[in-house]
Amino acid sequence: MSNFIIGTAGHIDHGKTTLIKALTGHETDRLEQEKERGISIELGFTYFDLENGTKAGIVDVPGHERFLKNMLAGVSGMDMVMLVIAADEGIMKQTKEHLDILNMLELHHGIVVLTKKNLVDEDWLELVQEDIKDSLEGTFLENAPILSVDSVSGEGIAELKQLLSDMSEKIEAKSDEGIPRLPVDRIFTITGFGTVVTGTLISGTFKVGDEVSVYPASKSTKIRGIQVHGEASNEAHAGQRVALNLSNIKKSEIERGDIVAPPKTFTNTMMLDVKVQMLKDAPRIIENRTRLRLYHGAREVLCRAVVLDREYVGPGEEAYVQLRLEEEIVAKKEDRFVLRFYSPMDTIGGGVIIEPNPPKRKRFDENALKEIELMETGDSNELVLNKIKQSKGYFATMKTLALELGQSNKILEADISDLKEENKIHELKVYSENYYIADSSYQMLVQQLKDHLSDFHRDYPLRDGAIKEEMRSKYFQNVNSNVFDVFIQLLESKSEIKVKDKAIALYDFEKSYDDESRAIYNALSKEFEEGAYAPKNSFEIIEAYSQKEQPLVNEIYNAMLIEGTLIKVSNIVTYHKKYYDEAIEYLKKHISENGGITMAEFRDKLGISRKYAVAFLEFLDSQKITIREGDIRKLYENVKS
């Protein structure tokens, strides 16, 4: 393994910092207060070369219970841990608590280092080792090697280095796939360089020059420099201890626990759906609305626990819980976390994040619990399909899926390809963006549209179909109009519907006029055509018919509007298409030759009153055919191009 992060854990004064100095030659206590008191308060970091040439970073965590939150901030990204136990004292309170935390965070690799062996004889050392083995049963360190050292004289240090080197070769390297994500555990400034943040890169790759954001504040910045294990580098890879020099951002704008990631890759959340696992000997239970401390990455957040599937969660139990946070964070599915009681600050459990951006859940809601269970146990295809089904307006994009699932485009593309092959989703190409809809949602929408059109044709048999924009407003109000257009084109290509001008109809629908209707149609067409540029008020034309005939006349008039034979430019002015087109043709020619047209010029050319000229031109403005600049109209496309 080319990059290797070793962490320490253990009770205060059991020799973690001294052990690291013996291994690396470096002092990890930086603060004067730490050196004066002889205890670690803040996280310490250093690095050294293993026997096989691997660069190993070391995270030294505080052992005092008062600084446990600092210890938790350093655990993120560890590949293995050295559980440090003083031979003269054995397992103590913080040893046990640190071990519980490491178990909950699902570390898989570690060794036990017995320090201060020079203070005890061989018989005592053997007794301590047996006690440790008993205490580690059922933990990830159950079969871990136990090595005794004297950090002062150096006895056992060479063997420890070799053991660390051997173990590093058995640990699988972190993948560079996925969204780059760095939980910040330290922030400082360097004169001449500015703000620097450090942490363990837990996924992806960063390069010098990358645009990044600091979440949850979403502060935009840029990586101006990278150090890996204290050496300048052009890029950083998952699994490395990294320092990022960030430009145009102040130290005061970043907090421990913030996440550095590419822009628009994470969505802030105030709620988390989680699976909680309580410690078997947890000193507290979690009741509904219990206030807790959540430790995620390097951040501590206060929250309330809404227990979803039972009344309370007791020692050793598992449960679905929604954590309602008191401040925003960003998180990813399958992130691990630790829970401590609000006060007193006892560690009581931990678990895994199932849904980082959930809706507000009700307790004992069977549908919600099924959804969470699917999110927990379903494969990635199922999770992507479920997210598409939940998408606002039924359609999802790669961008929204990546945000909500915290996955890279490469991984999502593979899932989407599988779902398309299985006909579980449909893809719509809208310009440069692909939109996805679940087959179940697609079938539902198609049926809704067809049912609507069937009813419409029954009620309005003389119309070409329902107005396209009205259909969009009714069934696709949360969808971009371009997506709706492509969806309609898809249905048209499958002979489900047909489109004529502004109307949508069932594919096999044909409007039909009987003799009476055809006579009225022809009469209306003639009436408006004879009106030329100054037609009669449409209400007057309709009212000229008998009251018995008026409903049919009104229906035929509306049908002519939908099919485009008539164009209604205002509540009282309707033009026949022939004269509407002629007027626009004249207007465009005049503007082309003169650079614009006034209302008076338009009025005089057509020989109409001001009432008709104003109505016509204002309608063209609303249709973005013309645009008004003072008293002059110009062509919209020329002004806006």
Side-chain angles (χ1 to χ4, degrees), residues 75 143 184 250 253 335 363 379 388 505 522 536 563 568 576:
V75 176
N143 298 310
V184 175
K250 299 176 182 176
E253 294 178 289
D335 283 354
R363 301 184 69 204
D379 62 25
I388 293 174
N522 291 335
K536 289 182 183 179
E563 70 182 22
K568 187 176 182 179
H576 192 281

Side-chain angles (χ1 to χ4, degrees), residues 190-247:
I190 297 178
T191 303
F193 291 91
T195 303
V196 176
V197 299
T198 69
T200 300
L201 188 57
I202 57 178
S203 60
T205 302
F206 278 136
K207 295 180 180 178
V208 172
D210 282 353
E211 300 285 343
V212 294
S213 290
V214 179
Y215 297 92
S218 296
K219 290 279 186 181
S220 297
T221 180
K222 189 174 183 178
I223 299 175
R224 64 189 293 188
I226 295 175
Q227 279 198 351
V228 176
H229 300 307
E231 296 180 0
S233 176
N234 287 323
E235 58 186 30
H237 299 271
Q240 293 180 327
R241 278 295 304 175
V242 177
L244 301 179
N245 180 202
L246 302 178
S247 61

Side-chain angles (χ1 to χ4, degrees), residues 485-631:
D485 289 340
V486 174
F487 186 79
I488 292 300
Q489 290 168 18
L490 176 64
L491 298 193
E492 199 173 10
S493 70
K494 294 184 175 186
S495 299
E496 299 275 7
I497 62 170
K498 59 186 176 183
V499 179
K500 182 179 179 182
D501 296 323
K502 298 178 181 179
I504 301 175
L506 290 174
Y507 185 75
D508 57 0
F509 171 75
E510 294 294 340
K511 66 180 180 181
S512 59
Y513 288 87
D514 57 20
D515 292 342
E516 180 186 12
S517 299
R518 177 55 65 184
I520 294 173
Y521 181 97
N522 291 335
L524 288 176
S525 182
K526 183 180 179 182
E527 185 92 50
F528 282 103
E529 192 170 0
E530 288 178 347
Y533 299 116
K536 289 182 183 179
N537 185 317
S538 57
F539 296 112
E540 293 176 1
I541 293 174
I542 293 171
E543 286 174 356
Y545 288 84
S546 69
Q547 285 191 343
K548 184 177 180 181
E549 292 174 310
Q550 283 180 17
L552 178 58
V553 176
N554 195 59
E555 172 56 27
I556 294 171
Y557 168 74
N558 283 318
M560 295 173 77
L561 289 175
I562 292 173
E563 70 182 22
T565 302
L566 301 178
I567 292 90
K568 187 176 182 179
V569 301
S570 74
N571 287 333
I572 59 173
V573 180
T574 300
Y575 280 92
H576 192 281
K577 187 177 189 300
K578 174 185 175 181
Y579 288 97
Y580 175 82
D581 290 344
E582 284 182 3
I584 288 183
E585 185 179 347
Y586 161 72
L587 176 137
K588 288 184 175 179
K589 182 180 178 183
H590 184 96
I591 292 175
S592 176
E593 293 173 352
N594 300 281
I597 191 169
T598 65
M599 186 276 295
E601 289 171 334
F602 184 70
R603 177 198 65 198
D604 294 345
K605 171 63 180 177
L606 298 185
I608 57 179
S609 70
R610 187 177 187 279
K611 176 184 76 173
Y612 287 102
V614 169
F616 198 97
L617 291 174
E618 287 184 349
F619 178 74
L620 296 190
D621 291 344
S622 71
Q623 299 301 301
K624 294 188 176 180
I625 295 172
T626 57
I627 186 169
R628 183 175 178 178
E629 293 184 352
D631 293 332

Side-chain angles (χ1 to χ4, degrees), residues 46-293:
T46 189
Y47 51 89
F48 71 115
D49 293 326
L50 295 177
E51 300 300 310
N52 59 6
T54 296
K55 278 279 188 187
I58 291 193
V59 181
D60 185 20
V61 305
H64 197 289
E65 63 180 342
R66 284 175 52 201
F67 309 119
L68 189 68
K69 80 171 185 176
N70 294 346
M71 176 269 177
L72 282 156
V75 176
S76 175
M78 289 182 182
D79 295 301
M80 68 162 290
V81 67
M82 293 188 295
L83 183 64
V84 179
I85 303 172
D88 60 335
E89 291 190 310
I91 288 182
M92 303 286 283
K93 179 184 176 183
Q94 287 310 120
T95 315
K96 172 70 169 58
E97 189 165 19
H98 283 199
L99 183 58
D100 286 338
I101 288 168
L102 297 170
N103 262 319
M104 287 182 288
L105 295 176
E106 287 201 338
L107 261 73
H108 299 293
H109 306 282
I111 58 178
V112 179
V113 182
L114 266 175
T115 57
K116 305 184 183 182
K117 66 174 293 186
N118 57 306
L119 299 182
V120 299
D121 58 29
E122 287 299 321
D123 290 339
W124 179 264
L125 196 61
E126 189 174 325
L127 286 172
V128 171
Q129 288 178 342
E130 289 302 316
D131 181 57
I132 289 171
K133 288 177 182 178
D134 291 341
S135 299
L136 296 180
E137 283 186 12
T139 75
F140 78 103
L141 292 177
E142 184 172 15
N143 298 310
I146 301 176
L147 193 65
S148 303
V149 302
D150 176 2
S151 302
V152 177
S153 69
E155 183 183 353
I157 296 299
E159 291 83 353
L160 177 57
K161 285 183 177 180
Q162 187 60 56
L163 181 57
L164 292 171
S165 181
D166 294 343
M167 291 188 71
S168 73
E169 295 178 1
K170 298 175 184 178
I171 298 175
E172 185 177 349
K174 290 185 174 69
S175 171
D176 281 342
E177 297 293 337
I179 297 169
R181 188 165 53 137
L182 182 87
V184 175
D185 51 38
R186 285 176 61 202
I187 313 107
F188 51 92
T189 56
I190 297 178
T191 303
F193 291 91
T195 303
V196 176
V197 299
T198 69
T200 300
L201 188 57
I202 57 178
S203 60
T205 302
F206 278 136
K207 295 180 180 178
V208 172
D210 282 353
E211 300 285 343
V212 294
S213 290
V214 179
Y215 297 92
S218 296
K219 290 279 186 181
S220 297
T221 180
K222 189 174 183 178
I223 299 175
R224 64 189 293 188
I226 295 175
Q227 279 198 351
V228 176
H229 300 307
E231 296 180 0
S233 176
N234 287 323
E235 58 186 30
H237 299 271
Q240 293 180 327
R241 278 295 304 175
V242 177
L244 301 179
N245 180 202
L246 302 178
S247 61
N248 299 318
I249 192 167
K250 299 176 182 176
K251 177 185 175 184
S252 60
E253 294 178 289
I254 309 175
E255 297 180 5
R256 171 182 279 178
D258 283 354
I259 301 291
V260 179
K264 299 180 181 178
T265 50
F266 285 95
T267 302
N268 293 356
T269 185
M270 292 287 286
M271 291 186 287
L272 301 169
D273 285 345
V274 302
K275 181 72 164 287
V276 167
Q277 171 67 60
M278 295 287 281
L279 295 174
K280 291 181 180 179
D281 56 354
R284 307 275 171 179
I285 64 172
I286 298 178
E287 297 178 286
N288 191 48
R289 304 292 301 173
T290 296
R291 198 176 191 208
L292 301 170
R293 296 176 186 270

